[in-house]
Amino acid sequence: MSFLLLLLFSCIQLFGLVPALPFSSYDYGGIDRSTILKRQLPPSPYVVTGVHAGAGLNGSLPLRLEVRELEQDPTTWTLYILGLDMLQYTNQTEMLSWYQITGLPLLLISHSSIDSSPGIHGRPFTPFDNVQPVPGNINNGYCTHVSILFPPWHRPYLAFYEQILYNLIQRIAQLYPTGPIRDMYTTAAANFRIPYWDWAAIPAAGASVFPTSVGGSPYVVVDGPLGSQEIANPLWSYQFKPLVPSDLPDFPLNQYTQTLRYPTTKNSFAQSQNNLVAQQLDNSAPSLRRRLYNVLTTYHSYRYFSNEAWFNASNNPNGYDSIESIHDQIHGLTGSGGHMSYIDYSAFDPVFWLHHAMLDRCFAMWQILNPGSYVVPTAATYNTFNNYAGETQNVNTALTPFYKDSFGNYWTSAEAYNTTTFGYAYAETASSSVTGVVAAINTLYGPQAQPTASSKAFETRESDLIPDAGTNTTEWIANIRVKRFALNVPFFIYIFLGIFNEDPASWSFDPNLVGSQFITVKGLSAIMDSPCNKCDPDQMVSGTIPLTHALLQHISVGNLKSLAPKDVNPYLAQNLSYRITLSDDTPINNSDVASLKISIACANVQTPASSTELPTWDDMEGQMDVSTG
Ligand SMILES: *[C@@H]1O[C@H](CO)[C@@H](O)[C@H](O)[C@H]1NC(C)=O
Ligand SMILES: *[C@@H]1O[C@H](CO)[C@@H](O)[C@H](O)[C@H]1NC(C)=O
Ligand SMILES: *[C@@H]1O[C@H](CO)[C@@H](O)[C@H](O)[C@H]1NC(C)=O
Ligand SMILES: *[C@@H]1O[C@H](CO)[C@@H](O)[C@H](O)[C@H]1NC(C)=O
Ligand SMILES: *[C@@H]1O[C@H](CO)[C@@H](O)[C@H](O)[C@H]1NC(C)=O
Ligand SMILES: *[C@@H]1O[C@H](CO)[C@@H](O)[C@H](O)[C@H]1NC(C)=O
Ligand SMILES: *[C@@H]1O[C@H](CO)[C@@H](O)[C@H](O)[C@H]1NC(C)=O
Ligand SMILES: [Cu+2]
């Protein structure tokens, strides 16, 4: 046995780590998997339709369910796991493989380098399904961020993924023994829709916000057509087959043979620390829930709701947050230096799809509450594969590379307006009832939302803090505005109330953390001239960290008298502080991010008198600036 192997084994013994196996996929025995997959050869163009089959209760559209709810249905869950396994197993040279679908934002960027160095791959890559870049924009993905198109672009992207997974699942169901068992799987397969992960709702007693199906174990036992087998958990990671470092050229991502979350190291021995991901999500859960609640209930302009670009005009203190900004924070907390931390690499991680389905659901709920507000012509802040920065994007801008028909027409935001167009709904949106959506938002995310039973993550933070229904209260927020490329790499901004541990690695777990904001960049510099490739390097992005829940705690222990500005302002001036780290916990001096402006604002808010009413916010009043940027 070589020295290296010995070392490896002793490491395993020491740390109890599971060795990184190449992969273990479901073994279909005599059935040649390539014949199952061959029949999937894509027509070109590949038309994104979503799934138009199956029926939910009373003949309504099948619903996309919360991932923990889907897990309660073992038949559908089995098919879901086997479908993911099959998709991840599909040869990454195939267009309809996990690698190419999820790598779509990234792979296009690197095609230019692959083309110029033939031999790395058996064949030169072409842009996905032959959708060509506009001249000069080869070094950009299709994905639209800091853009008015952020929510609708991801809708056909998810429908595309759902459609491919659905097709695989139909084939897998047919592999079960004929008779009642196959019938059961066939019925479940016809109703399959992708699940979402609700990172804002209060989880069941003792459970983490982070589902155990996603972060609990690298292996999973699945009851497939040939019986029970232990396979690699396709929600834990995607294993590159193989890793092609030139496709993923940014260090340390060019070292990682599988997708990682909060990686232990920056070399190929790195392991995911899903336990730490779960802990930091739980510590930030009250903040995330309030952010989502505030954005869903008090943002009525699509322009501000949809994306994080800071418009000069939005000096309105109640216009800094957005669904995209909250989205970034989940990327930051699930990545912590792993794939989710880098937008262009993030979709390789299976959790990306659960997260984006959640965002699509929030978008769908918001649409029902705000039917009059949608995409308005807005200048793009970044180049994408098909659009130039500065070019106006509108409701008819093509959402490339997603074909709507076989004549080469693309989906547009106008056409992607309604989820029913793609054959699905969410429980909250199925009946398009405004009061139904309001009630769901209040119950799940509102001030009266309760844990199903007292759960560890929340009992210490939220007891006795629930305001009475139908009364006036004061909401306090910290608005953040910063140059996205302030550091050219992603970073976190943490806000604390009171003392906190000196160690930057502990900040996201600190009991006095009020909340944090992750600032993303698309990729790193290896594949672009700079992370901001031909974009405006001074582009400002913004977000909001709610403060009220933390202030109420300080009131409940007797340190702070009330939520009135005369009490809160001096309290914050003395006790509120902020810190900055990179996504791997490296601390950054506050003075090194000169563009960062943090300002405090508050508003009188009438809490809903019943679960079918929204809160009413009076105008925000600016208070002090913590940092003047
Ligand atoms: C289905 O119909 C039954 C009987 O009319 C009704 O009680 C139930 O609420 C319906 N379910 C849904 C999801 O609409
Ligand atoms: C994937 O496909 C390529 C090209 O057809 C082939 O060379 C390679 O061996 C395949 N990989 C696997 C793991 O089957
Ligand atoms: C942007 O802000 C500056 C300074 O506050 C102001 O002079 C200018 O008119 C604003 N422009 C727009 C488009 O709102
Ligand atoms: C989507 O279409 C369905 C069916 O036509 C309709 O009932 C529903 O109101 C639409 N939803 C929105 C948000 O417009
Ligand atoms: C609550 O706030 C509203 C709106 O500002 C105001 O009209 C009302 O008088 C307030 N009610 C109480 C009891 O203070
Ligand atoms: C800062 O916090 C401490 C402890 O919570 C409190 O005693 C003190 O009064 C606060 N400072 C101000 C100015 O309120
Ligand atoms: C932060 O700034 C101080 C004073 O300017 C300097 O001594 C220190 O090295 C800086 N720390 C980092 C991590 O840059
Ligand atoms: Cu994302």
Side-chain angles (χ1 to χ4, degrees):
M1 196 183 284
S2 76
F3 173 71
L4 259 178
L5 267 178
L6 269 174
L7 194 72
L8 183 66
F9 280 121
S10 53
C11 284
I12 293 162
Q13 277 168 358
L14 274 177
F15 301 113
L17 295 177
V18 185
L21 298 176
F23 55 90
S24 67
S25 197
Y26 193 82
D27 181 359
Y28 288 89
I31 305 163
D32 179 5
R33 198 193 298 236
S34 62
T35 64
I36 308 170
L37 295 167
K38 275 272 155 51
R39 278 178 278 153
Q40 271 247 128
L41 268 189
S44 187
Y46 190 87
V47 177
V48 176
T49 57
V51 177
H52 295 274
L57 282 175
N58 301 350
S60 64
L61 281 175
L63 303 178
R64 286 187 181 169
L65 300 177
E66 212 281 331
V67 64
R68 284 158 285 213
E69 197 181 345
L70 187 72
E71 202 177 355
Q72 302 302 307
D73 168 3
T75 310
T76 311
W77 184 258
T78 296
L79 290 169
Y80 172 55
I81 295 295
L82 287 173
L84 290 173
D85 175 62
M86 183 78 83
L87 188 55
Q88 293 185 359
Y89 175 92
T90 307
N91 193 315
Q92 63 191 31
T93 62
E94 303 280 334
M95 177 186 141
L96 300 186
S97 60
W98 185 271
Y99 190 64
Q100 295 210 20
I101 294 164
T102 67
L104 196 143
L106 175 71
L107 291 178
L108 292 157
I109 299 169
S110 52
H111 285 155
S112 51
S113 58
I114 290 170
D115 284 343
S116 61
S117 44
I120 294 175
H121 267 263
R123 60 186 172 89
F125 274 83
T126 51
F128 190 83
D129 211 7
N130 282 317
V131 178
Q132 299 294 331
V134 294
N137 276 15
I138 186 84
N139 283 344
N140 287 280
Y142 290 112
C143 209
T144 53
H145 288 92
V146 199
S147 157
I148 199 91
L149 304 181
F150 172 74
W153 186 89
H154 287 86
R155 182 161 282 169
Y157 191 20
L158 286 160
F160 174 49
Y161 166 81
E162 181 164 63
Q163 177 179 343
I164 289 157
L165 200 53
Y166 179 90
N167 289 339
L168 289 175
I169 282 173
Q170 306 314 302
R171 296 175 201 287
I172 293 166
Q174 294 311 311
L175 302 176
Y176 280 88
T178 47
I181 294 183
R182 184 181 296 182
D183 294 347
M184 181 177 81
Y185 280 97
T186 306
T187 308
N191 290 313
F192 174 77
R193 294 296 184 275
I194 56 170
Y196 64 89
W197 161 41
D198 191 340
W199 32 252
I202 304 177
S208 169
V209 169
F210 200 45
T212 45
S213 59
V214 179
S217 164
Y219 295 98
V220 65
V221 175
V222 64
D223 203 9
L226 269 70
S228 185
Q229 291 179 20
E230 190 176 52
I231 65 169
N233 180 357
L235 292 171
W236 171 271
S237 73
Y238 167 64
Q239 302 176 26
F240 297 101
K241 302 177 185 72
L243 172 70
V244 181
S246 60
D247 277 5
L248 289 71
D250 286 304
F251 179 83
L253 300 164
N254 58 4
Q255 306 293 308
Y256 295 155
T257 58
Q258 60 178 322
T259 57
L260 294 170
R261 305 177 189 133
Y262 214 135
T264 47
T265 60
K266 290 184 180 174
N267 56 33
S268 57
F269 294 104
Q271 302 276 327
S272 283
Q273 302 177 93
N274 282 288
N275 54 333
L276 298 185
V277 170
Q279 278 175 40
Q280 62 186 5
L281 281 164
D282 288 336
N283 197 40
S284 280
S287 172
L288 285 166
R289 190 166 67 257
R290 278 172 180 78
R291 276 183 84 169
L292 183 64
Y293 185 71
N294 292 350
V295 162
L296 287 176
T297 59
T298 71
Y299 280 56
H300 303 296
S301 161
Y302 174 85
R303 180 177 170 147
Y304 299 133
F305 167 81
S306 61
N307 76 96
E308 67 198 10
W310 187 77
F311 299 102
N312 192 27
S314 68
N315 271 321
N316 172 11
N318 201 23
Y320 277 67
D321 217 1
S322 63
I323 196 69
E324 186 183 14
S325 200
I326 302 175
H327 146 270
D328 290 355
Q329 182 57 13
I330 298 296
H331 271 272
L333 293 177
T334 51
S336 286
H339 293 73
M340 282 293 277
S341 297
Y342 305 96
I343 296 296
D344 281 338
Y345 290 80
S346 60
F348 287 119
D349 186 330
V351 81
F352 171 97
W353 298 93
L354 293 164
H355 173 36
H356 272 269
M358 166 68 173
L359 298 165
D360 184 69
R361 167 175 168 268
C362 295
F363 174 35
M365 290 195 288
W366 188 91
Q367 287 183 296
I368 289 176
L369 300 184
N370 301 279
S373 185
Y374 198 38
V375 176
V376 287
T378 307
T381 50
Y382 291 100
N383 281 355
T384 65
F385 203 63
N386 294 100
N387 295 99
Y388 294 109
E391 202 177 288
T392 299
Q393 295 175 320
N394 64 30
V395 77
N396 296 316
T397 301
L399 302 176
T400 52
F402 307 119
Y403 287 111
K404 187 190 63 172
D405 57 35
S406 53
F407 309 111
N409 296 310
Y410 297 106
W411 285 101
T412 63
S413 303
E415 292 155 339
Y417 184 78
N418 197 321
T419 71
T420 63
T421 309
F422 297 100
Y424 68 91
Y426 300 95
E428 298 80 10
T429 63
S431 67
S432 301
S433 147
V434 173
T435 50
V437 170
V438 171
I441 291 171
N442 277 327
T443 306
L444 289 168
Y445 315 123
Q448 312 288 329
Q450 290 277 6
T452 20
S454 83
S455 78
K456 197 162 169 266
F458 296 97
E459 65 197 353
T460 51
R461 302 209 60 160
E462 298 199 78
S463 51
D464 309 324
L465 304 181
I466 299 157
D468 293 331
T471 56
N472 282 3
T473 180
T474 310
E475 279 289 330
W476 287 84
I477 58 174
N479 282 330
I480 293 174
R481 194 193 77 185
V482 67
K483 284 185 187 172
R484 180 168 168 137
F485 295 102
L487 297 169
N488 278 334
V489 292
F491 58 99
F492 280 105
I493 300 160
Y494 302 87
I495 291 190
F496 301 97
L497 194 56
I499 51 165
F500 54 94
N501 194 305
E502 296 277 304
D503 175 12
S506 74
W507 288 345
S508 67
F509 309 99
D510 199 287
N512 281 339
L513 177 75
V514 181
S516 56
Q517 177 60 45
F518 186 58
I519 308 294
T520 64
V521 299
K522 285 158 70 116
L524 294 173
S525 44
I527 45 179
M528 303 182 202
D529 306 334
S530 72
C532 162
N533 185 35
K534 296 184 189 134
C535 71
D536 173 4
D538 295 329
Q539 172 65 47
M540 292 278 189
V541 292
S542 62
T544 296
I545 293 180
L547 302 176
T548 318
H549 62 290
L551 293 171
L552 285 170
Q553 268 194 304
H554 288 242
I555 291 175
S556 71
V557 296
N559 286 339
L560 173 64
K561 261 214 314 265
S562 80
L563 287 177
K566 67 171 168 48
D567 294 324
V568 173
N569 277 327
Y571 197 83
L572 292 178
Q574 189 175 358
N575 291 313
L576 186 123
S577 41
Y578 73 97
R579 290 289 183 274
I580 299 161
T581 69
L582 304 185
S583 61
D584 63 359
D585 297 334
T586 306
I588 299 295
N589 270 349
N590 288 356
S591 57
D592 289 343
V593 185
S595 62
L596 176 60
K597 177 169 177 168
I598 301 176
S599 43
I600 308 296
C602 70
N604 174 50
V605 174
Q606 290 174 268
T607 60
S610 79
S611 70
T612 55
E613 286 172 34
L614 292 177
T616 318
W617 289 46
D618 291 351
D619 286 343
M620 275 282 164
E621 284 166 33
Q623 306 290 328
M624 64 177 177
D625 288 342
V626 179
S627 147
T628 49

